[in-house]
């Protein structure tokens, strides 16, 4: 029977035993490299490994197997759509990115570049981007209560940190201009039917150009912006202009690299462009797609034209108008050069060719209100007219429309003058152009009624400027068609005569179609400096610039390398871009191979790694990394899975018992931040645990003081005061003036004392509680209220200064989680420890009383258990009157506790008078005796006298107001 019964050991692993041996918890201490490698035959094996929180080496092997190279024998590719790929992507998004990305991306160590590239490559697919967007939306598409909790949580909540990680990951994934092209290529080589490819491409178009990605990033950052104590710059993925410019550059890359599969790719690119035009940032999209032809490059013109013709007719018209406007809105010094008009006409003619609807769109552009804006110069009108010159019928049609509008009475009366001037210039340009090719048509038009009525209506207009424009057109046309002795003239002087002559010169302008090279000649040339030899330092500079995030412009800026003084190299050699190194081998420059540390410790990404690092006091680097990462890692995972909740007591035990073996910088501050993070992760449970540990654990006085500090500061953070206490805990240290700091060797010892935060908070609250009473006393001594000068503020100014109320999560748990465990465990210590009770020491006792007072103050007057807390605290404080007289620190802490207690009950003085009448009278009698006994002159004495005065004022205020209610309770009081 013994052979049939075997002991069962529960385990969370689901791998085979041989595989399980290699998936041990991550340990980055000096361990020898394991030659045994994970060998995967199916995607299910990789999925199981990823679900078991793999270490760095196992994760690297998994990522490498998921994205095989060309020479690999692996047939599975996570970038191809499929059920198994979707499962693995889901695990990567929900588990791997939250655990590893902030470490890989936040460190200055480049040893993780290989892992970063492998992980990014896994998401260069439609399913990968879709999973990231879906995960991003899940952070703010919950119910209203969850959203409000996330928005009001002080410091960075786990949702905010995960949002930052996902947005940062998306930035790294989409920062290049070939992302869309690589996804299309992967989708095209997928051996599936064309219908499935079309559906997948529509999904990508909806993600990128439909606004789903843009809106998800923008809304997620907007929802969590209020939780950041530091105003962070918004991501370019959430800013419409920058995102649209990036999308335009990706569409251009896709179009110009579609040589072999051009028949399929240009149609998909046109679908993407069509959807991108609906984002609301047409200028940025068109600027990115047509940047090469706008700059005068002709090698990509044919491909761009084919993709343009795949758009709908109204979209082609919109793109054409936008290209013209983008070119003409350049620097005036560029648009006024001689070759600009011919180059722009060549570009327009190349885009339009023989498309009838586009030619008619150019006629509408000339004759419609679009061209009559003040920012559209005459050079663009000349270029459009030159592009229409091979089609004289369309030019004559434009002339008829312009002349009809020029003489329309409603147009003359209601159209702005600037718009009429632009229309007049266009009319004279077209008349001069038609006269050059067909003079008889202009002569017959002058004799027609439409022209005569137009001039007559202009001269009869009420506006002097409208009359002047009629004179200018009549004089210019008469100069063209009439003999010198019969020309129409008007008697004008000064500037009006000169302006008439300028309008006449417009009819003499005739432009022809040039070439795109003419347009290129007008563009400022960049990168024309002589190529120089790339040195090691300059290569580093180029690498740093190439990896920089996207800036706020899409302009291509050349990088000019400063050459050195050496002439041994041939300067005529061309400069080539630095090639991307294979993911298998990362280049490490300027690193001595004998000095490179191969087993560098990595910051922990799992709680088990954090515990192992905190307990590994023999390895300095690993122990220091664990201590540095503990606050952020615990907060990040507090509400993410069950890692923290299942290791709370182990984490607290490790942090409480931690000793500064290596004399680390900011050791006490980091340890305190970690303990507070553990307490905030589960306030009710860990509040009771820290209270029990403080009294029952075998710890030194310094460690007990740190536990009490953790309880007080942690309670205030749960109550919503984390931002106010950040400088006290060292999370955001305030810089000190040099004269306020101790000498360097003493500053490291005393600057991060465990008692210092509580002492600072106590002093701050003392001033806050006493200041209103001092102001009231000053007003009483100032004389009658009618003689006082008061400054009145507006309601809006008062509302702006008023702080918004924050939800106090501590009020409901303060009794069971913090106050009662501390108070009741302290009360039993004399019976348990006898005369060797360490909690009677003045330093520990005063700190204990201040901790209780701070916890009670953080709970606020709205705590449901305030009456019970008041009675318990009153009894505890009055029991220490004798001990307080023998120790000034305890006396100050006791008076501070009484003042805090009375201040919290200021709104319920009647209930306080009825329930605690005896305690109030005893407090008044004792504090009066203490005030008379304490002598002034010293700082401690003055603080104690100030607190005693504050207590007396509050007690007498309550007693005098509710004396009648207290008589029933004071029958036996002497």
């Amino acid at each position: 029977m013994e052979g049939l019964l075997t002991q069962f050991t529960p385990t969370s692993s689901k791998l085979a035993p041989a595989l399980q041996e290699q998936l041990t918890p991550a340990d980055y201490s000096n361990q020898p490299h394991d030659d045994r490698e994970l060998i995967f035959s199916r995607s299910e094996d990789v999925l199981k490994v990823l679900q078991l929180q793999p270490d760095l080496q196992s994760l690297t092997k998994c990522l490498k197997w998921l994205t095989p190279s060309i020479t690999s024998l692996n047939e599975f590719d996570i970038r191809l759509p499929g059920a198994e790929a979707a499962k693995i992507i889901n695990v990567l998004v929900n588990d791997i990115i939250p655990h590893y990305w902030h470490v890989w991306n936040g460190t200055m160590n480049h040893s993780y570049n290989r892992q970063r590239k492998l992980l990014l490559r896994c998401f260069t697919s439609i399913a990968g981007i879709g999973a990231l967007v879906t995960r991003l939306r899940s952070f703010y598409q919950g119910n209203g209560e969850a959203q409000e909790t996330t928005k009001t949580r002080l410091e960075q909540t786990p949702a905010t940190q995960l949002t930052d990680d996902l947005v940062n990951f998306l930035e790294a994934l989409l920062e290049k201009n070939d992302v869309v092209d690589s996804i299309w290529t992967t989708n095209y080589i997928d051996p599936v039917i064309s219908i499935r490819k079309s559906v997948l491409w529509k999904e990508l178009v909806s993600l990128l150009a439909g606004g789903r990605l843009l809106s998800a990033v923008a809304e997620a950052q907007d929802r969590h912006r209020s939780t950041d104590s530091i105003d962070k710059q918004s991501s370019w993925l959430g800013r419409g202009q920058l995102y649209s410019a990036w999308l335009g550059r990706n569409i251009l890359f896709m179009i110009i690299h579609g040589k072999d599969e051009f028949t399929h790719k240009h149609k998909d690119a046109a679908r993407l462009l069509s959807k991108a035009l609906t984002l609301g940032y047409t200028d940025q999209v068109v600027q990115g797609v047509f940047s090469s032809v706008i700059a005068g490059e002709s090698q990509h013109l044919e491909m761009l034209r084919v993709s343009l013709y795949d758009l709908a007719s109204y979209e082609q018209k919109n793109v054409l108008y936008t290209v013209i406007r983008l070119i003409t809105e350049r620097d005036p010094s560029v648009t006024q050069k001689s070759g600009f008009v011919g180059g722009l006409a060549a570009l327009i003619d190349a885009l339009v060719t023989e498309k009838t609807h586009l030619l008619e769109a150019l006629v509408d552009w000339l004759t419609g209100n679009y061209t009559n804006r003040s920012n559209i110069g005459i050079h663009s009108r000349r270029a459009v007219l030159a592009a229409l010159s091979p089609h004289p019928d369309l030019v004559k049609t434009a002339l008829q429309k312009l002349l009809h509008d020029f003489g329309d009475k409603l147009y003359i009366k209601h159209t702005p003058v600037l718009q009429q001037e632009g229309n007049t210039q266009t009319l004279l340009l077209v008349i001069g152009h038609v006269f050059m090719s067909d003079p008889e048509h202009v002569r017959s038009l002058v004799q027609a009624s439409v022209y005569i009525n137009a001039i007559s209506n202009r001269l009869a207009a009420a506006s002097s400027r409208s009359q002047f424009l009629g004179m200018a057109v009549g004089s210019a046309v008469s100069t063209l068609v009439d003999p010198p002795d019969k020309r129409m003239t008007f008697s004008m002087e000064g500037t009006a005569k000169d302006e008439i002559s300028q309008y006449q010169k417009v009819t003499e302008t005739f432009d022809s179609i040039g070439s795109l090279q003419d347009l290129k000649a007008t563009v400022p040339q960049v990168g024309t400096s002589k190529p120089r030899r790339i040195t090691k330092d300059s290569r580093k500079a180029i690498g740093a610039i190439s990896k920089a995030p996207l800036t706020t412009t899409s302009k291509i800026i050349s990088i000019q390398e400063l050459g050195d003084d050496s002439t041994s190299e041939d300067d005529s050699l061309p400069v080539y871009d630095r090639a991307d190194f294979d993911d298998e081998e990362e280049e490490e420059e300027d690193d001595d191979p004998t000095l490179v540390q191969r087993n560098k410790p990595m910051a922990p990404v799992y709680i088990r790694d954090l515990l192992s690092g905190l307990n590994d006091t023999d390895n300095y680097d690993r122990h220091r990394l664990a201590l540095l990462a503990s606050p952020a890692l615990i907060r990040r995972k507090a509400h993410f899975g069950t890692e923290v909740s299942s290791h709370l007591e182990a984490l607290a035990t490790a942090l409480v018992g931690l000793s500064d073996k290596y004399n680390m910088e900011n050791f006490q501050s980091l340890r305190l931040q970690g303990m507070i993070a553990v307490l905030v992760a589960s306030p009710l449970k860990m509040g009771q645990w820290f209270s029990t540990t403080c009294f029952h654990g075998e710890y030194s006085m310094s460690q007990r003081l740190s536990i009490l500090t953790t309880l007080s500061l942690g309670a205030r953070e749960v109550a919503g005061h984390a931002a106010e206490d950040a400088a006290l805990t060292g999370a955001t240290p305030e810089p000190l003036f040099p004269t306020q700091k101790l000498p360097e060797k003493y500053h490291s010892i005393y600057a991060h004392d465990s008692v210092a935060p509580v002492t600072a908070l106590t002093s701050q609250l003392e001033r806050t509680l006493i200041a209103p009473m001092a102001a009231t006393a000053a007003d009483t001594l100032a004389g009658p209220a009618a003689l006082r000068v008061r400054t009145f503020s507006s309601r809006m100014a008062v509302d702006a200064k008023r702080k918004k109320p924050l939800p106090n999560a501590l009020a409901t748990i303060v009794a069971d989680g913090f106050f009662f465990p501390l108070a009741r465990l302290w009360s039993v210590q004399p019976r348990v420890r006898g005369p060797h009770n360490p909690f009677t020491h003045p330093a520990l006792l005063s700190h204990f009383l201040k901790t209780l007072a701070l916890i009670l103050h953080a709970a606020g007057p709205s705590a449901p258990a305030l009456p019970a807390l008041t009675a318990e605290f009153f009894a505890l404080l009055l029991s220490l009157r004798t001990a307080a007289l023998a120790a000034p620190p305890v006396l100050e802490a006791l008076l501070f506790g009484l003042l805090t207690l009375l201040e919290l009950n200021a709104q319920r003085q009647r209930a306080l008078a009825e329930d605690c009448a005896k305690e109030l009278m005893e407090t008044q009698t004792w504090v009066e005796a203490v005030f008379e006994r304490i002598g002034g002159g010293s700082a401690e004495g003055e603080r104690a006298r100030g607190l005693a005065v504050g207590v007396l004022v509050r007690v007498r205020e309550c007693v005098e107001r509710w004396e009648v209610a207290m008589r029933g309770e004071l029958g036996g009081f002497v």
Side-chain angles (χ1 to χ4, degrees):
M1 293 295 293
E2 294 181 357
L4 299 177
L5 298 176
T6 57
Q7 182 180 0
F8 173 75
T9 302
T11 178
S12 60
S13 177
K14 298 181 181 180
L15 289 179
L19 194 59
Q20 181 180 347
E21 293 178 0
Q22 301 172 23
L23 295 178
T24 57
D27 190 359
Y28 303 106
S29 58
N30 298 327
Q31 292 182 350
H33 179 69
D34 192 359
D35 295 332
R36 295 176 298 174
E37 295 185 356
L38 292 174
I39 300 177
F40 304 109
S41 59
R42 301 178 305 167
S43 59
E44 291 82 356
D45 299 336
V46 180
L47 181 60
K48 291 179 180 179
V49 174
L50 293 176
Q51 290 174 341
L52 294 177
Q53 298 182 352
D55 58 4
L56 183 62
Q57 296 180 358
S58 301
L59 178 60
T60 304
K61 293 182 175 65
C62 292
L63 296 178
K64 182 180 177 182
W65 190 88
L66 291 174
T67 55
S69 59
I70 300 177
T71 59
S72 176
L73 300 178
N74 179 24
E75 298 180 356
F76 179 83
D77 193 341
I78 194 174
R79 294 170 294 182
L80 300 179
E84 292 298 328
K87 294 179 182 179
I88 296 175
I89 288 176
N90 183 58
V91 175
L92 292 176
V93 172
N94 295 324
D95 295 335
I96 302 303
I97 292 179
H99 290 152
Y100 281 94
W101 183 253
H102 70 284
V103 177
W104 291 350
N105 196 62
T107 181
M108 298 300 294
N109 190 355
H110 298 288
S111 59
Y112 305 126
N113 286 344
R114 176 187 177 189
Q115 287 79 9
R116 290 179 73 255
K117 291 182 179 180
L118 288 174
L119 184 58
L120 290 172
R121 188 190 298 175
C122 292
F123 286 88
T124 54
S125 63
I126 302 173
I129 298 177
L132 293 171
V133 173
T134 303
R135 180 60 174 163
L136 197 60
R137 287 184 178 275
S138 66
F139 291 132
Y140 60 83
Q141 284 189 345
N143 52 37
E145 182 180 357
Q147 292 180 11
E148 186 64 22
T149 302
T150 301
K151 287 184 70 64
T152 57
R153 190 186 304 276
L154 294 175
E155 293 193 357
Q156 283 196 335
T157 62
T160 306
Q161 296 174 354
L162 292 176
T163 299
D164 293 341
D165 288 343
L166 284 179
V167 172
N168 189 278
F169 184 84
L170 281 169
E171 286 183 346
L173 177 65
L174 303 176
E175 64 181 352
K176 295 184 179 180
N177 297 332
D178 60 346
V179 178
V180 178
D181 182 74
S182 62
I183 295 176
W184 185 92
T185 304
T186 304
N187 186 39
Y188 180 76
I189 63 176
D190 185 16
V192 296
I193 57 178
S194 59
I195 298 179
R196 183 178 176 183
K197 294 178 181 178
S198 177
V199 172
L200 292 173
W201 185 251
K202 288 181 180 179
E203 177 66 17
L204 182 65
V205 170
S206 177
L207 278 172
L208 300 181
R212 289 169 55 186
L213 174 60
L214 174 63
S215 61
V217 175
E219 188 169 0
Q221 289 190 329
D222 182 69
R223 290 293 184 95
H224 299 299
R225 186 175 288 114
S226 60
T227 62
D228 295 338
S229 57
I230 301 176
D231 187 14
K232 296 182 179 180
Q233 185 179 5
S234 299
S235 169
W236 63 269
L237 289 174
R239 302 170 66 181
Q241 294 183 350
L242 300 180
Y243 178 82
S244 300
W246 166 84
L247 187 58
R249 295 192 297 270
N250 270 267
I251 296 174
L252 173 63
F253 189 94
M254 182 178 176
I255 292 174
I256 64 180
H257 288 81
K259 298 179 180 179
D260 297 335
E261 314 88 5
F262 188 72
T263 57
H264 301 281
K265 183 175 284 189
H266 74 84
K267 293 182 180 180
D268 291 339
R271 296 191 187 99
L272 186 61
L273 175 59
S274 175
K275 195 67 175 178
L277 295 175
T278 63
L279 284 174
Y281 303 93
T282 305
D283 290 1
Q284 286 73 21
V285 174
V286 175
Q287 173 73 36
V289 176
F290 291 88
S291 57
S292 59
V293 296
I294 290 176
E297 302 291 341
S298 59
Q299 64 269 26
H300 305 145
L301 180 60
E302 180 63 27
M303 301 178 183
L304 289 171
R305 183 167 53 192
V306 173
S307 296
L308 175 64
Y309 294 161
D310 285 329
L311 299 176
S313 58
Y314 69 92
E315 293 173 342
Q316 297 179 30
K317 178 180 177 180
N318 188 18
V319 170
L320 180 62
Y321 288 175
T322 305
V323 169
I324 298 174
R325 185 179 69 254
L326 290 175
I327 295 178
T328 55
E329 287 180 351
R330 291 177 177 172
D331 187 1
S333 61
V334 176
T335 58
Q336 294 177 3
K337 292 185 178 180
S338 58
F340 176 77
V341 175
L344 179 55
L347 175 59
I348 297 173
D349 180 68
L351 293 177
V352 172
T353 58
E354 298 297 330
K355 298 293 182 179
T356 305
H357 64 282
L358 291 180
L359 292 172
E360 294 175 352
L362 290 179
V363 174
D364 295 337
W365 192 92
L366 273 178
T367 60
N369 295 331
Y370 185 89
T371 62
N372 294 325
R373 296 185 304 175
S374 58
N375 60 343
I376 299 296
I378 193 173
H379 298 85
S380 59
R381 303 186 184 100
R382 290 168 53 188
V384 173
L385 186 58
L388 287 173
S389 58
H391 310 278
D393 295 338
L394 294 176
V395 177
K396 294 177 182 178
T397 302
L399 177 58
Q400 292 289 339
K401 292 183 179 180
L402 288 169
L403 191 58
H404 177 271
D405 291 340
F406 181 76
D408 186 73
K409 293 182 179 181
L410 292 176
Y411 181 86
I412 296 172
K413 185 177 181 180
H414 298 289
T415 306
V417 175
L418 289 177
Q419 193 167 330
Q420 294 187 37
E421 291 178 351
N423 192 9
T424 303
Q425 293 178 0
T426 307
L427 175 62
L428 293 177
L429 277 175
V430 176
I431 290 176
H433 192 90
V434 174
F435 185 80
M436 292 290 182
S437 59
D438 192 358
E440 294 301 327
H441 180 78
V442 178
R443 292 190 177 96
S444 62
L445 184 63
V446 171
Q447 299 176 0
S449 60
V450 61
Y451 176 78
I452 297 174
N453 291 335
I455 299 299
S456 301
N457 293 338
R458 282 283 174 176
L459 296 178
S463 173
S464 59
R465 189 61 183 175
S466 298
Q467 294 177 3
F468 173 80
L469 294 178
M471 297 176 188
V473 172
S475 177
V477 175
S478 179
T479 303
L480 286 177
V481 300
D482 295 335
D485 56 340
K486 296 183 179 181
R487 293 175 180 174
M488 183 184 300
T489 58
F490 298 94
S491 58
M492 294 184 179
E493 298 179 356
T495 58
K497 185 177 181 180
D498 296 337
E499 192 173 358
I500 285 286
S501 63
Q502 292 178 0
Y503 274 101
Q504 291 177 357
K505 291 180 181 179
V506 174
T507 59
E508 301 173 1
T509 304
F510 185 85
D511 300 293
S512 58
I513 300 176
S515 63
L516 284 180
Q517 297 299 325
D518 299 332
L519 184 63
K520 183 177 181 180
T522 63
V523 180
Q525 298 297 316
V526 294
T528 56
S529 59
K530 184 178 180 180
R532 298 184 179 273
R533 179 177 59 90
I534 297 182
T535 61
K536 183 177 296 185
D537 295 335
S538 63
R539 185 181 296 113
K540 288 184 177 180
I542 295 177
I545 296 175
S546 64
K547 296 179 180 179
L550 294 176
T551 58
T552 57
T553 176
S554 59
K555 181 178 179 182
I556 301 174
I557 303 176
S558 64
I559 302 172
Q560 298 181 2
E561 295 294 338
L562 298 177
D564 50 13
D565 297 332
S566 62
T567 57
S568 59
E569 299 290 340
D570 187 3
D571 290 343
S572 63
L573 294 176
V575 178
Y576 296 97
D577 293 336
R578 182 181 181 182
D580 292 333
F581 290 92
D582 188 75
D583 293 329
E584 302 295 333
E585 298 178 359
E586 294 289 338
E587 183 189 41
E588 296 183 3
E589 297 180 353
D590 298 335
D591 286 341
D592 188 352
T594 62
L595 301 178
V596 174
Q597 183 182 358
R598 298 299 178 184
N599 295 325
K600 294 181 180 179
M602 189 183 76
V605 296
Y606 299 115
I607 297 299
R608 67 166 187 260
D609 301 337
L610 177 62
L611 278 171
S612 179
L614 292 175
N615 294 324
D616 187 8
T617 56
D618 295 332
N619 190 334
Y620 169 76
D621 293 333
R622 188 184 179 203
H623 185 65
R624 178 176 175 275
L625 279 176
L627 185 61
L628 289 172
S630 59
L633 185 61
I634 294 171
R635 292 180 184 276
R636 175 185 295 272
K637 297 193 175 185
H639 303 279
F640 180 76
T642 60
E643 275 191 282
V644 174
S645 60
S646 59
H647 296 86
L648 280 174
E649 295 184 3
L651 285 170
T653 302
L655 289 169
V656 170
L658 212 57
S659 60
D660 192 6
K661 179 180 179 180
Y662 299 101
N663 194 19
M664 296 183 187
E665 185 179 2
N666 298 332
F667 172 82
Q668 293 292 345
S669 176
L670 292 172
R671 175 169 164 265
L672 181 61
Q673 293 177 39
M675 294 167 64
I676 294 175
V678 173
L679 176 62
V680 174
S682 181
L684 180 60
K685 175 183 177 181
M686 296 312 298
Q688 298 172 352
W689 186 91
F690 275 110
S691 301
T692 305
T693 303
C694 180
F695 291 98
H696 291 170
E698 297 297 332
Y699 296 107
S700 64
M701 181 177 293
S702 175
Q703 291 172 330
R704 297 183 195 275
L705 289 174
S706 64
I707 293 175
L708 292 175
T709 303
T710 300
L711 286 169
S712 58
L713 297 182
R716 286 179 56 82
E717 180 172 347
V718 174
H721 302 285
E724 304 172 10
D725 303 341
L728 299 176
T729 60
T732 56
E734 295 181 352
L736 296 176
F737 196 71
T739 57
Q740 297 176 330
K741 296 177 61 175
L742 293 170
E744 194 64 33
K745 66 176 182 178
Y746 297 112
H747 180 77
S748 59
I749 299 174
Y750 298 104
H752 303 289
D753 190 8
S754 301
V755 186
V758 174
T759 305
L761 276 177
T762 304
S763 302
Q764 180 181 349
L765 286 180
E766 287 177 6
R767 293 190 296 268
T768 304
L769 298 177
I770 296 177
M773 292 183 282
T776 303
D779 290 343
T780 304
L781 298 176
L787 300 179
R788 300 173 193 167
V789 179
R790 182 181 177 185
T791 303
F792 292 91
S793 301
S794 63
R795 181 179 59 83
M796 298 180 63
V798 174
D799 293 340
K801 295 180 180 179
R802 183 180 297 130
K803 294 183 178 180
K804 296 182 179 179
L806 297 175
N808 193 339
L810 179 67
T812 58
I813 63 173
V814 62
D816 297 332
F818 291 85
F819 192 88
F820 285 144
L822 279 174
R824 292 170 181 175
L825 286 171
W826 178 87
S827 63
V828 300
Q829 293 305 307
R831 296 193 300 269
V832 174
R833 298 181 182 269
H836 303 288
N837 184 11
F839 292 94
T840 58
H841 191 279
L844 193 56
L845 181 57
S846 62
H847 196 69
F848 170 73
L849 294 178
K850 291 179 182 179
T851 299
L852 289 179
L854 289 175
I855 292 174
L856 195 60
H857 181 271
S862 61
L866 183 60
L869 296 173
T870 301
E872 184 81 14
F873 200 25
F874 237 144
L876 188 148
L877 291 174
L878 293 178
S879 67
L880 295 173
R881 286 175 289 181
T882 304
L885 295 176
V890 179
L891 176 61
E892 182 180 348
L894 192 149
L895 292 174
F896 174 72
L898 288 172
L899 182 60
T900 304
L901 189 63
L902 294 171
E903 185 70 25
L904 289 177
N905 289 273
Q907 302 300 326
R908 52 181 302 272
Q909 289 183 351
R910 180 181 180 88
L912 182 65
E914 293 176 351
D915 300 337
C916 303
K918 182 179 179 180
E919 288 81 355
L920 285 173
M921 296 306 300
E922 290 182 358
T923 300
Q924 181 178 355
T925 304
W926 181 74
V927 173
E928 288 176 351
V930 168
F931 181 76
E932 294 177 358
R933 180 177 177 178
I934 299 176
S938 64
E940 293 182 357
E942 292 299 332
R943 284 199 304 269
R945 288 172 65 88
L947 289 172
V949 170
V951 173
L952 284 176
V953 170
R954 290 302 184 195
V955 171
R956 288 174 179 174
E957 178 183 347
C958 180
V959 171
E960 292 175 359
R961 184 176 182 183
W962 303 104
E963 183 178 0
V964 177
M966 296 173 61
R967 288 178 181 176
E969 300 291 336
L970 299 178
F973 181 75
V974 179

